[in-house]
Amino acid sequence: MKMYNGFAIVAGLVIFFAMLTAPFALGTMTKQYKEPELKLPKGEKECVEATEWMRNNHMQLLNEWRDWALRDGKRTYTNHAGKEFTISLQNTCMKCHNSKADFCDKCHNDAGVSPYCWDCHVQPEGLK
């Protein structure tokens, strides 16, 4: 049996496999994700909850805070260590996370999510 157009077939297979593996090769060459830095205000030593817990659960916590504050009238949150915090996005969370662009937006844009916090909340003055 004679092979017709052998060069074209081999070239096509090489191009096909190059296109197939390109996303994986490009993925290994991208920069590693760098989490934004959080600088606590003077006198503060901790966040509302542990850092890893907040990374995984902050949206659930904010939804619970919204429900507790608006539906139940509860205005104080007690964390796992027993410390109390005022339930407030602007007066508690934004005290530490004071740069929306450098903290909130960076993480949310990198994760491809669009939170609806500012649909109801007024962005505080001086907040970037």
Side-chain angles (χ1 to χ4, degrees), residues 7-28:
F7 178 75
I9 292 171
V10 171
L13 286 172
V14 168
I15 292 170
F16 171 75
F17 283 112
M19 290 176 63
L20 184 68
T21 59
F24 300 106
L26 292 174
T28 61

Side-chain angles (χ1 to χ4, degrees), residues 33 36 38 47-68 77 80 87-89 93-94 97 103-109 111-118:
Y33 175 72
L38 172 63
C47 190
V48 173
E49 290 288 353
T51 303
E52 193 61 36
W53 190 92
M54 288 301 288
R55 267 191 205 117
N56 297 321
N57 302 296
H58 70 279
M59 198 61 224
Q60 292 171 337
L61 180 67
L62 290 173
N63 283 336
E64 287 177 359
W65 279 18
R66 177 200 61 208
D67 294 345
W68 293 340
Y77 172 74
H80 290 94
I87 293 177
S88 173
L89 173 69
C93 301
M94 299 311 291
H97 305 289
F103 194 86
C104 305
D105 292 345
K106 182 184 182 332
C107 285
H108 292 139
N109 291 341
V113 296
S114 299
Y116 49 87
C117 306
W118 305 112

